[in-house]
Structures are given as structure tokens and as C-alpha cells.
């Protein structure tokens, strides 16, 4: 029996009330790929902690995630497995004692060798292999710790890298020049992955790029290798000391680093390399964090989270509740959620303050303990929610909300980039030459503005009462309109993909008073209509990041259906009501026990372009060395996206349809 819209909304609200944590927040699992588990296993080998109680259950989880063809993939439903994830999982299983001819390893080895073998491995995978003695350090690009000495005014200083890359490279630089090895036992070595023998294997790094900067950086790497071999390297030890101090200073309160797995796990390798034992408070906190909210258990298996999203989930859940017309009195969970959000505002300066002066921090982070890296998207959603809560909460909250509001707005405005858009963590983070450095062959190393993030900022500013006459709004709108694709939609840097980008842009434009009947906007709505699936919903494959024919095309998901509906509802017309009703019917028909099921990944960490922004795919696929499997990408299944985005859409649709009545 299909639910009515009111019944569906009530069921989803009741589900949220049941799922709220005792501290007032909402949060669910953040799934990614098995590199997380494989790297944890390899790290435990390196740290000599294979007696960890989680160990066997993590190994079991790796085996469970293996595809029938023997590979491991980057996202659910990927057409192809990923060579890097598969090599790392294979190495993890072998390091754990699995023989080369047991079925999981045999299948994986056959797949690896039939898909280009070890030569296809990225630098990060080679780095892990080097730590266990399975790849020669001298063939890897050098990450010099001396980069910490480069002043802010000079090119290639660490603050020109994106937050996640900067935090990762600082630890990696120590390991890179120390070149530690904790070898596998002889019977666990990976000789079978070198069928012609190691002595006949080409360990050199592929030269995929040409031109001035690639040539410059390859030459610089040769110089660094020469210097690495010298018996006396002036300043090297002090540079390592400075890098190590930077790493230790940046540890989060919960023991992690940067709120994400890469800088965290490499920090532990670096600390261990420099002689920190497992009982040292910094090491102990870092290792123990995996015993808390950074891992989760399912069906007797344990998996590692690449990040966590309690603040993000809580604010978006609150927005969904508010979209459904709930009040302080009608929905008591709002009180604890508001307290949680107000308490989590970051008021101390982080890395962003190295390049943006004259403003105090007032942002929010994605994770619960990450104070060095508040992000602009969480801050925009916080402003959007607080703007509405200010009118609903008791008078006793007004002063607290006003203080939070004022600091957040000032910080948000100060972080607008010169092109009018907003990035995720930094301002004007777009030095593209950095992407040509040999060790930057993964994900993204830059954090330039994107249309989806900018759409959220406009929505916040619009709700605060600012319109097209506001200079920051005008610049943001101009940036967004310049980013529109010829077919009508907008690129989704942080969610999959064009449906996500469009879903954040259109409500933002509407909020600041942009003409939603503009032909360019109507073209976007028509693009959405043409991509509605037969079941009434919408879906888009992660493969759309490398295949333009997949734009707006894919298996229907609750989250992407919610996004498409939010975009159409922002058009401020009843012209699209038939499509909206079909989308609602899909959501109501598939709702179960108040919520929805979704296996597909619709969150984006890295598309894998390197530059952090939309590129034209023609002629770039070979240079990127990835296809629809997204070998350089990082995709995410935020397990709460399946719930609060459909609920937002249903709440907005109820108001919209009531207006017609």
C-alpha cells in the first residue's frame, strides 16, 4: 500500500526521532572502499600491532567486499574493479598470512596480472608496498620535508595545497626521506606479482604528462634523489623536526588527524619511524581512535571509516525537519540538535588563517573533533538552519544564535574566492602547477571553488535577507552562471554529479532573487525532466565523472531523487508538477519503516581530476590514467543521504502543492 505524502513525511520524521543520538546529533556510516581496511592492515604490520582485536574481523571484511572477478572497486556497482585497491587488498591479505593460492588471493592475483600488473600502481600504492619491502624506495618520487620551510609568499608552499593533501604530505615527507621498511616474512612476500622476476621488472614511474611543469618537476625529483643519496644534507634533520612538530600540533582531540583517514594513518607511520612507541600519548590516541567512532561492525565484520559526518548529518537532518514545517514545540529533538550545533562551532584559527587575515573563525567542521579545518559548506548549511531556528527557538537562545550567526557570516564572506565562488576549506586554492608534481597522481590536490558549494552559500545569504544587490551575492551568481554546462546542469564536485550540482545551485539562485524563468534556468529544468527514470525517480552513476554519456543517467536512488525534486521545486512554478508527483510517488512507494534503502554511492570525495574542478574529458582520460572505475577517485556512500534528502524534498513538495490548492 502506497503511503500518502503526509504519512510518508510523518514516518520519516518518526524515524529521525528514533535515530537521534543521546548527545543530540544524527549520524550514520560513511562507506568508501577497501583501501581503508587494507591500509589499516598494512599499518598494523608496520607498527607491529597485528594482535589488535579488530584484526581478524577487518580481514573478513576485506574478503567479503571482493568482487566475483577477484578485484575490489571504488564504488558500489562499478563497471570495473580498481587496480590500486586490488593490489593493496592483496598485499594486506598476504601480510595477514593468506597463501598465494587461496581463492581470494588467487583470483585477485589473476585479475591484477591481467589488468596491467604492478606497473599500473599509483604512487600511494607503491608507497605502501615500499614500507613492507615490496617496492624499492629509490624509485619513488621524493617528498622533501623541506617544503615546510617555503614561505607563504613563495610558490609551492604547503598552504597552496588543499587541506587534505597538505595534512597528508607533511607526514609522508618524513617517511619518504627516512625510507623505513618492515619487511614481510619470506613466505608472505609478493614474488608472485612479479612473474618475470623483480630483477626484470620496470619500477620506474610512468611519464604520462609533458610540457614545462611536468619536465620541471621530474628534473627537480632527480635533484632530490641525488641529494637524498648524499651523506650530508644540510638542514634535513631540522626540516624533519619541523614537519613532525607540525604533524603533532595538528592532531585532533579524538586522536585522528584532519578528520580523514589519509593524514591520520600516515602520521602514525611517521611517528613510529621517528621512534615514538605505541604507549606515547600521541600514538596511543591515534591508534585507539579506531576503537571508537572511526570503525563500525556489520555481520561480524569490521570496516574503517575514511571520515565521519555527525555535524553535516545533523544540520541536514534539521533542515529536513524544518522543511516539513515542524516547530520547537511539535518536534522536541530539535532542542538537543540545536545545542549540539551551537556547541560545535569552531572559534579558533586553523590552517585557513595562514592565507586569510583579519577575520575570526566562526565556521563548522564536518567531523566532531576537527578544529583545524572548518569547512565552508557545513558553515553555509549551519547559517541556513540557524536562520530558521532563530525564529522558532525560545527567546533564551537568541543571544547565542546571534553570536554564532555574526561570526559565521563574517568568516563565510571573508573566505569567498576572487572569482566569486567558494571552495571547501580555503580561499583561492587553485595553483594548478602543483598537480604536475610526480607524487600527485591521486584524487585532487587543490580546493578551488565549485558551483555546488557556491549554491549553498547563496541559499544561506538569501535566507539571511541578502539579494542580488549584495556584492558577494552578485559575484557568486556571476560565478555560478559562468559554470553552467551547455546542456543546462551544473557539475557536482562534492556529490554525484550533475543532479547534485543542479540541486544545490537552483535553490541558491532562488533564495537570492534570481529570475527562475530565465531561459538558462528553464533549460536546466528541462535537462532534469529528460533524465527522469521510468519508475519516477532519478539516478546518476559515479561513472559520469569520466563518461559524459552518463550525465544524469543511472539506477534510481532515494538521495538523487530527492535532489532532482528539490531542484524542480526551486523553479517556482507548477509547470513541472507532473514530474514532481511521479518523483514523490517513487519515494512513497519505496519507503519502508520510515526510511529508504540505498546501496549506491552518491557522495564524492575526489572525482580524480587532480585540479579539483570540472575538466573537459576529451583528450584527458589517458593523462588521468582512469576510466569509469575512477582509479584516481574517491567515492562515498553517506548512509544518511538516503533519508534526509528525500525528506527535504517531500516537505518542500507539500508546501508547493498546498500553494496550488
Amino acid at each position: 500500500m502506497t503511503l500518502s505524502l503526509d504519512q510518508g513525511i510523518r514516518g520519516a520524521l518518526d524515524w529521525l526521532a528514533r535515530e537521534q543520538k543521546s548527545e543530540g546529533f544524527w549520524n550514520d556510516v560513511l562507506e568508501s572502499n577497501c583501501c581503508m581496511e587494507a591500509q589499516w592492515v598494512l599499518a598494523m604490520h608496520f607498527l607491529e600491532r597485528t594482535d589488535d582485536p579488530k584484526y581478524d574481523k577487518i580481514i573478513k571484511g576485506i574478503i567479503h567486499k571482493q568482487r566475483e572477478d577477484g578485484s575490489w572497486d571504488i564504488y558500489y556497482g562499478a563497471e570495473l574493479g580498481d587496480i590500486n585497491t586490488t593490489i593493496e587488498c592483496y598485499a594486506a591479505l598476504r601480510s595477514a598470512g593468506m597463501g598465494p593460492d587461496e581463492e581470494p588471493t588467487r583470483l585477485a592475483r589473476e585479475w591484477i596480472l591481467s589488468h596491467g600488473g604492478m606497473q599500473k600502481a599509483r604512487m600511494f600504492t607503491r608507497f605502501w608496498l615500499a614500507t613492507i619491502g615490496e617496492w624499492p624506495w629509490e624509485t619513488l618520487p621524493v617528498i622533501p620535508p623541506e617544503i615546510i620551510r617555503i614561505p607563504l609568499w613563495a610558490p609551492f608552499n604547503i598552504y597552496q595545497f588543499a587541506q587534505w593533501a597538505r595534512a597528508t604530505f607533511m607526514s609522508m615527507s618524513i617517511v619518504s626521506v627516512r625510507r623505513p621498511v618492515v619487511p614481510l616474512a619470506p613466505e608472505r612476500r609478493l614474488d608472485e606479482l612479479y612473474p618475470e622476476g623483480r630483477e626484470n621488472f620496470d619500477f620506474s614511474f610512468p611519464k604520462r604528462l609533458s610540457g614545462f611543469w611536468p619536465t620541471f618537476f621530474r628534473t627537480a625529483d632527480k635533484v632530490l634523489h641525488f641529494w637524498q643519496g648524499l651523506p650530508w644534507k644540510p638542514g634535513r634533520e631540522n626540516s624533519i623536526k619541523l614537519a613532525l612538530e607540525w604533524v603533532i600540533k595538528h592532531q585532533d582531540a579524538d586522536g585522528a588527524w584532519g578528520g580523514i583517514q589519509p593524514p591520520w594513518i600516515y602520521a602514525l607511520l611517521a611517528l613510529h619511524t621517528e621512534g615514538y612507541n605505541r604507549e606515547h600519548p600521541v600514538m596511543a590516541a591515534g591508534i585507539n581512535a579506531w576503537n571508537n567512532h572511526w570503525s563500525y561492525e556489520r555481520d561480524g565484520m569490521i570496516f574503517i571509516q575514511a571520515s565521519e559526518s555527525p555535524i553535516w548529518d545533523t544540520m541536514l537532518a534539521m533542515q529536513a525537519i524544518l522543511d516539513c514545517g515542524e516547530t520547537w514545540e511539535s518536534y522536541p529533538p530539535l532542542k538537543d540538535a540545536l545545542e549540539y550545533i551551537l556547541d560545535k562551532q569552531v572559534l579558533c584559527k586553523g590552517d585557513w588563517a595562514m592565507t586569510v587575515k583579519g577575520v575570526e573563525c566562526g565556521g563548522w567542521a564536518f567531523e566532531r573533533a576537527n578544529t583545524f579545518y572548518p569547512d565552508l559548506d557545513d558553515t553555509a548549511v549551519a547559517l541556513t538552519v540557524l536562520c530558521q531556528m532563530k525564529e522558532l527557538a525560545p527567546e533564551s537562545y537568541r543571544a547565542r544564535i546571534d553570536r554564532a550567526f555574526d561570526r559565521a557570516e563574517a568568516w563565510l564572506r571573508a573566505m569567498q574566492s576572487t572569482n566569486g565562488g567558494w571552495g571547501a576549506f580555503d580561499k583561492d586554492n587553485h595553483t594548478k602547477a602543483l598537480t604536475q608534481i610526480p607524487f600527485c597522481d591521486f584524487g585532487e590536490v587543490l580546493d578551488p571553488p565549485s558551483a555546488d558549494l557556491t549554491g549553498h552559500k547563496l541559499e544561506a545569504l538569501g535566507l539571511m535577507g541578502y539579494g542580488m544587490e549584495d556584492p558577494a551575492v552578485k559575484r557568486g551568481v556571476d560565478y555560478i552562471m559562468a559554470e553552467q554546462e551547455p546542456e543546462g546542469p551544473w557539475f557536482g564536485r562534492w556529490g554525484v554529479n550533475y543532479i547534485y550540482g543542479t540541486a544545490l545551485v537552483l535553490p541558491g539562485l532562488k533564495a537570492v532573487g534570481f529570475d527562475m524563468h530565465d531561459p538558462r534556468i528553464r533549460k536546466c529544468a528541462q535537462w532534469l525532466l529528460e533524465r527522469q527514470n521510468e519508475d519516477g525517480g532519478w539516478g546518476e552513476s559515479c561513472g559520469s565523472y569520466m563518461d559524459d554519456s552518463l550525465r544524469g543517467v543511472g539506477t534510481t536512488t532515494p538521495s538523487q531523487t530527492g535532489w532532482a525534486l528539490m531542484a524542480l521545486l526551486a523553479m517556482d512554478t507548477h509547470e513541472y508538477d507532473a514530474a514532481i508527483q511521479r518523483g514523490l510517488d517513487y519515494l512513497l512507494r519505496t519507503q519502508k519503516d520510515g526510511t529508504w534503502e540505498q546501496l549506491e554511492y552518491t557522495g564524492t570525495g575526489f572525482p580524480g581530476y587532480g585540479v579539483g574542478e570540472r575538466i573537459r574529458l576529451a583528450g584527458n582520460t589517458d593523462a588521468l590514467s582512469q576510466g569509469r572505475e575512477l582509479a584516481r577517485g574517491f567515492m562515498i556512500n553517506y548512509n544518511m543521504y538516503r533519508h534526509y534528502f528525500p525528506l527535504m524534498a517531500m516537505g518542500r513538495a507539500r508546501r508547493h502543492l498546498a500553494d496550488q490548492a
Side-chain angles (χ1 to χ4, degrees):
M1 177 180 175
T2 301
L3 302 171
S4 69
L5 184 55
D6 285 342
Q7 289 173 327
I9 289 173
R10 176 45 52 193
L13 288 170
D14 290 345
W15 185 91
L16 274 179
R18 294 193 301 271
E19 293 296 318
Q20 188 178 30
K21 310 300 182 185
S22 59
E23 300 93 328
F25 66 88
W26 284 276
N27 186 220
D28 207 339
V29 168
L30 186 155
E31 295 179 86
S32 56
N33 63 72
C34 274
C35 281
M36 299 300 101
E37 290 76 36
Q39 290 175 9
W40 182 89
V41 171
L42 295 174
M44 292 305 104
H45 167 82
F46 187 85
L47 301 175
E48 299 176 296
R49 286 187 57 94
T50 55
D51 58 346
D52 190 292
K54 299 184 296 299
Y55 195 90
D56 290 343
K57 289 184 177 182
I58 288 178
I59 293 294
K60 185 178 178 182
I62 293 174
I63 296 171
H64 175 74
K65 291 283 188 177
Q66 188 175 27
R67 293 159 57 105
E68 289 186 5
D69 64 3
S71 68
W72 283 264
D73 51 31
I74 295 295
Y75 59 93
Y76 177 83
E79 180 181 336
L80 298 170
D82 169 51
I83 188 73
N84 302 298
T85 309
T86 304
I87 291 173
E88 291 179 24
C89 287
Y90 184 90
L93 294 178
R94 292 286 285 118
S95 77
M98 184 173 287
D101 295 319
E102 295 186 48
E103 185 174 7
T105 45
R106 178 183 59 80
L107 289 173
R109 181 176 69 257
E110 291 172 356
W111 190 92
I112 291 168
L113 295 177
S114 65
H115 286 78
M118 299 287 270
Q119 184 63 33
K120 293 288 187 180
R122 64 184 176 182
M123 192 280 290
F124 273 69
T125 301
R126 298 179 184 208
F127 185 97
W128 279 103
L129 294 173
T131 65
I132 60 174
E134 297 302 313
W135 199 281
W137 274 112
E138 60 270 18
T139 66
L140 295 180
V142 175
I143 307 175
E146 286 78 11
I147 58 175
I148 198 170
R149 295 176 174 274
I150 300 176
L152 287 173
W153 54 262
F156 315 132
N157 72 78
I158 62 172
Y159 297 99
Q160 289 185 342
F161 289 94
Q163 166 261 327
W164 53 87
R166 177 191 322 138
T168 300
F169 289 156
M170 292 313 299
S171 294
M172 288 186 73
S173 70
I174 297 170
V175 183
S176 173
V177 298
R178 292 297 197 201
R179 298 181 173 179
V181 175
V182 179
L184 297 177
E187 70 276 8
R188 299 182 183 185
R189 297 204 66 190
L190 310 184
D191 295 334
E192 62 275 8
L193 292 183
Y194 303 94
E196 303 300 321
R198 296 172 192 263
E199 66 279 6
N200 297 314
F201 185 81
D202 180 8
F203 288 98
S204 64
F205 207 68
K207 297 179 181 179
R208 300 190 182 98
L209 302 174
S210 59
F212 174 77
W213 285 117
T215 302
F216 171 84
F217 287 122
R218 282 196 293 268
T219 302
D221 189 59
K222 291 178 181 179
V223 173
L224 289 171
H225 272 281
F226 174 78
W227 196 43
Q228 179 72 20
L230 295 177
W232 181 58
K233 293 177 277 294
R236 169 57 58 85
E237 291 302 316
N238 194 46
S239 295
I240 291 174
K241 179 183 177 182
L242 290 173
L244 192 64
E245 289 174 350
W246 190 98
V247 170
I248 293 171
K249 177 184 175 182
H250 279 72
Q251 187 175 29
D252 297 332
D254 64 353
W257 274 266
I260 52 176
Q261 183 263 11
W264 174 11
I265 203 161
Y266 292 116
L268 294 177
L269 301 189
L271 288 162
H272 182 75
T273 298
E274 292 305 294
Y276 284 67
N277 61 43
R278 66 177 69 180
E279 286 77 30
H280 188 282
V282 175
M283 285 289 286
I287 294 170
N288 185 60
W290 278 304
N291 295 321
N292 301 316
H293 48 271
W294 286 98
S295 63
Y296 61 96
E297 186 165 353
R298 283 181 178 172
D299 302 323
M301 298 170 285
I302 291 179
F303 301 95
I304 302 294
Q305 294 197 104
S307 184
E308 55 149 7
S309 53
I311 298 176
W312 180 245
D313 285 340
T314 301
M315 292 190 297
L316 290 171
M318 291 176 74
Q319 180 59 61
I321 293 164
L322 295 169
D323 279 332
C324 294
E326 296 298 318
T327 66
W328 188 267
E329 294 75 22
S330 69
Y331 202 79
L334 281 174
K335 177 183 183 298
D336 288 343
L338 178 60
E339 288 281 359
Y340 180 81
I341 292 302
L342 290 173
D343 287 345
K344 287 298 182 180
Q345 188 174 24
V346 178
L347 302 178
C348 57
K349 291 187 176 181
D351 280 9
W352 61 269
M354 299 298 293
T355 55
V356 179
K357 307 296 183 180
V359 64
E360 297 297 323
C361 187
W364 279 263
F366 195 71
E367 311 86 356
R368 73 190 72 196
N370 179 11
T371 57
F372 284 98
Y373 304 109
D375 74 88
L376 292 154
D377 211 22
D378 275 86
T379 302
V381 178
L383 282 169
T384 301
V385 168
L386 291 177
C387 190
Q388 299 164 81
M389 289 301 300
K390 185 177 178 179
E391 304 303 318
L392 299 177
E395 185 68 30
S396 59
Y397 281 89
R398 294 294 173 85
R400 289 179 66 191
I401 293 175
D402 284 343
R403 285 196 300 271
F405 214 82
D406 291 344
R407 288 192 63 153
E409 181 187 348
W411 186 68
L412 189 78
R413 287 179 174 274
M415 297 295 287
Q416 186 175 21
S417 290
T418 53
N419 67 359
W422 278 269
F425 296 94
D426 288 297
K427 177 179 180 177
D428 293 330
N429 192 268
H430 48 54
T431 306
K432 292 187 177 180
L434 296 176
T435 67
Q436 312 300 308
I437 297 175
F439 55 77
C440 293
D441 71 331
F442 76 103
E444 319 295 333
V445 295
L446 300 177
D447 179 20
S450 62
D452 47 6
L453 296 184
T454 303
H456 259 164
K457 312 309 176 290
L458 294 182
E459 186 174 13
L461 292 169
L463 282 174
M464 293 160 60
Y466 299 106
M468 296 292 291
E469 71 285 350
D470 182 88
V473 169
K474 177 64 167 58
R475 290 169 56 220
V477 169
D478 288 345
Y479 167 79
I480 277 180
M481 297 313 297
E483 289 291 304
Q484 187 177 19
E485 297 292 321
E487 299 86 355
W490 278 269
F491 175 67
R493 164 62 183 87
W494 295 95
V496 183
N497 176 348
Y498 291 91
I499 294 177
Y500 181 78
T502 300
L504 269 59
V505 164
L506 293 188
L509 291 175
K510 179 184 178 182
V512 297
F514 192 83
D515 179 10
M516 302 306 287
H517 298 286
D518 185 295
R520 293 169 293 179
I521 304 302
R522 291 181 62 84
K523 185 176 186 179
C524 178
Q526 185 61 37
W527 180 87
L528 280 171
L529 293 180
E530 291 171 356
R531 279 148 185 82
Q532 188 171 24
N533 289 335
E534 289 187 9
D535 60 11
W538 281 264
E540 185 171 7
S541 167
C542 298
S544 62
Y545 284 108
M546 288 303 296
D547 185 344
D548 285 342
S549 70
L550 295 178
R551 292 183 181 188
V553 176
T555 302
T556 299
T557 68
S559 59
Q560 290 167 322
T561 299
W563 296 337
L565 289 172
M566 290 159 62
L568 291 175
L569 289 162
M571 292 299 297
D572 206 22
T573 176
H574 289 285
E575 181 179 344
Y576 308 110
D577 281 6
I580 290 170
Q581 189 59 59
R582 290 181 61 216
L584 291 172
D585 289 345
Y586 166 80
L587 291 177
L588 294 168
R589 189 172 65 248
T590 56
Q591 190 177 10
K592 182 179 180 182
D593 298 327
T595 191
W596 292 264
E597 295 180 356
Q598 178 179 308
L599 297 174
E600 290 77 13
Y601 286 31
T602 58
T604 307
F606 308 134
Y609 298 159
V611 294
E613 61 186 358
R614 175 77 174 104
I615 64 170
R616 300 300 162 191
L617 295 179
N620 279 304
T621 53
D622 290 340
L624 289 175
S625 191
Q626 75 168 2
R628 291 189 296 273
E629 84 291 339
L630 301 183
R632 291 176 51 130
F634 193 88
M635 312 311 292
I636 300 168
N637 181 4
Y638 295 103
N639 277 205
M640 281 202 73
Y641 274 22
R642 64 188 168 91
H643 190 86
Y644 47 63
F645 284 120
L647 183 56
M648 281 184 204
M650 293 196 301
R652 296 180 190 187
R654 183 165 65 179
R655 291 202 310 270
H656 170 81
L657 296 173
D659 289 342
Q660 186 181 40

